[in-house]
Amino acid sequence: MTIDTPIGKDAGVIAHLFIVSRREPQLFDYLAREFASEDDVQVILDRRIGERRKTGGTYPNERRRADRRTLAHVPRQVGTLGYAFVRVDG
């Protein structure tokens, strides 16, 4: 199984996602084995290194009205628990 490729017969349907810290390779291996037969579950390694924007200010050409990330709890959970579990709706 590759990290970036959805698993299952219908590769477009992922209902649950485990995001595992890169510092937890044994947990990643365990979860990947446990859920290998589940078509609607994907286990991936967290690829994020850190915040790309270092300041919280606005930028002159900023077009976005708000932060697009609605899963703000994920980095905190990955950092403290070693993983985050996300339910993907539609």
Side-chain angles (χ1 to χ4, degrees):
M1 167 176 50
T2 64
I3 295 171
D4 296 325
T5 305
I7 59 175
K9 295 174 212 156
D10 184 0
V13 180
I14 299 296
H16 302 93
L17 182 66
F18 279 98
I19 304 168
V20 182
S21 171
R22 287 178 287 157
R23 296 183 197 135
E24 300 287 345
Q26 293 172 330
L27 177 60
F28 172 81
D29 291 341
Y30 170 76
L31 291 172
R33 277 192 316 273
E34 286 295 310
F35 293 100
S37 64
E38 300 294 328
D39 291 340
D40 63 343
V41 177
Q42 184 177 13
V43 181
I44 64 171
L45 284 173
D46 185 18
R47 297 179 305 211
R48 292 172 294 180
I49 295 172
E51 287 291 326
R52 287 186 277 178
R53 289 189 176 176
K54 299 300 179 194
T55 62
T58 60
Y59 295 85
N61 295 328
E62 181 65 55
R63 292 179 290 187
R64 285 181 271 163
R65 305 249 190 293
D67 192 356
R68 294 181 302 192
R69 288 176 278 175
T70 58
L71 301 173
H73 67 282
V74 170
R76 184 176 59 248
Q77 285 183 347
V78 171
T80 58
L81 300 174
Y83 74 95
F85 180 75
V86 179
R87 193 174 113 205
V88 180
D89 294 323

